[in-house]
Amino acid sequence: MSAAIIDGKKLAAAVKAEAAAEVQQLKEQGVVPCLAVLLVGEDPASQVYVRGKANDCAECGIESRVIRLDAATTQEELLARIDALAADDAVHGILVQLPLPAHIDESAVIAAIPPEKDVDGFTPVNAGRLLTGEPCFAPCTPAGCLRMIQSTGIDIAGKRAVVVGRSNIVGKPAALLLLAANATVTICHSRTRNLADICREADILVAAVGRQGFITGDMVKPGAVVIDVGINRGADGKLHGDVDFAAASEKAAFITPVPGGVGLMTRAMLMKNTVAAARAALERQQ
Ligand code: GUN
């Protein structure tokens, strides 16, 4: 069997088109959705990500404000910037690009973002709401994974889903989103025993480990949906996922490529969250 490829580029374009249509509606009601992005320091990958986010905003008709701060910015200065954006009614989403310089306490900074402007879904309030099943901003990468799984047309309810990776940004929220969609979910990590056996039971396999080729072909159940969140720079200088794509695509029914997969969906879901934040702000006023 050779797996069908879940085309992140095409799906991200569809999600952004949805966001753009919603932006049009909001503009007709006098609201221009606005995303503020705070970037501290010169991390090259972060610079690329932030540029990409600003481009996506422009494409969707969302206003973006990129605030670039010196690497020596103090935590107090950064918190003051967040407070100012929190108080600014024209700003609907606030995103602090991670990682932050080592002298800044990431948790304290994230917690300072008002939950209603937390379009990354990283604050403890939104994480708690995701856990309890209340309306919330779900983190963009796992939300993009779910959208990719749904795009295959499979019924998630009752399926065995295995998430490899337990980060707060991807693994844990991916598991919660799959659980909310009624999958039977297992989270695996570096201390998991019999990882290959567990992965082989997965109708839906989400790989978010950060190690090139970690998921080998023998770990994939025939007919599975394989979602590869990994973005690893290989010795060949190219980007590779966490999944051995060639081997896994012989077994899977559906698989995401790297590049051209989940990464594009993350940014598209950020646009959706920003639009949702703007709409919610308008509804609070009415
Ligand atoms: N750094 C890497 N990925 C992300 C992301 O999704 N959001 C933020 N804020 N920082 C990141």
Side-chain angles (χ1 to χ4, degrees):
M1 195 189 330
S2 189
I5 290 180
I6 304 174
D7 185 343
K9 199 169 169 187
K10 202 162 131 193
L11 202 52
V15 170
K16 284 191 280 184
E18 285 172 22
E22 291 173 59
V23 169
Q24 248 351 87
Q25 287 175 3
L26 283 164
K27 285 184 174 171
E28 282 159 23
Q29 294 173 272
V31 176
V32 181
C34 174
L35 173 67
V37 178
L38 287 153
L39 174 58
V40 185
E42 313 286 332
D43 182 76
S46 290
Q47 307 265 1
V48 174
Y49 289 144
V50 166
R51 247 198 321 275
K53 287 168 187 177
N55 288 343
D56 285 340
C57 282
E59 197 182 319
C60 295
I62 295 170
E63 185 189 333
S64 65
R65 295 191 202 169
V66 178
I67 298 152
R68 290 188 167 78
L69 301 171
D70 192 86
T73 301
T74 65
Q75 186 166 317
E76 290 65 35
E77 284 167 339
L78 181 55
L79 290 172
R81 291 284 190 155
I82 292 172
D83 287 347
L85 294 167
D88 186 340
D89 288 340
V91 172
H92 305 105
I94 302 172
L95 182 153
V96 179
Q97 188 64 32
L98 303 178
L100 289 168
H103 67 277
I104 297 178
D105 177 354
E106 217 160 81
S107 306
V109 167
I110 288 169
I113 301 169
E116 66 274 14
K117 296 192 181 187
D118 169 30
V119 287
D120 250 339
F122 289 175
T123 61
V125 172
N126 276 312
R129 287 176 182 161
L130 183 62
L131 185 77
T132 54
E134 291 165 69
C136 65
F137 291 115
C140 301
T141 299
C145 292
L146 199 75
R147 182 77 187 238
M148 294 181 109
I149 297 163
Q150 288 164 339
S151 79
T152 66
I154 69 150
D155 183 9
I156 298 173
K159 293 286 193 308
R160 282 295 303 266
V162 173
V163 179
V164 189
R166 55 174 157 177
S167 71
N168 289 332
I169 293 178
V170 184
K172 286 184 206 167
L176 289 170
L177 287 168
L178 285 160
L179 183 63
N182 298 313
T184 301
V185 183
T186 303
I187 304 178
C188 298
H189 47 79
S190 53
R191 305 285 286 270
T192 297
R193 290 184 195 162
N194 305 324
L195 177 71
D197 289 340
I198 296 169
C199 289
R200 263 192 296 275
E201 290 184 7
D203 303 304
I204 298 165
L205 182 59
V206 178
V209 209
R211 281 207 257 160
Q212 181 181 339
F214 186 79
I215 303 291
T216 50
D218 64 300
M219 295 161 84
V220 176
K221 178 179 177 175
V225 178
V226 178
I227 307 292
D228 191 349
V229 185
I231 301 179
N232 310 292
R233 182 76 61 186
D236 56 3
K238 294 184 187 161
L239 294 180
H240 298 271
D242 291 346
V243 177
D244 178 345
F245 182 86
S249 54
E250 290 298 311
K251 300 281 244 355
F254 298 93
I255 191 166
T256 65
V258 178
V262 174
L264 299 170
M265 291 300 289
T266 298
R267 282 161 41 185
M269 299 314 284
L270 176 65
M271 301 300 109
K272 290 284 275 187
N273 278 354
T274 303
V275 172
R279 186 181 297 286
L282 177 64
E283 282 166 6
R284 281 195 300 274
Q285 279 173 11
Q286 285 168 343

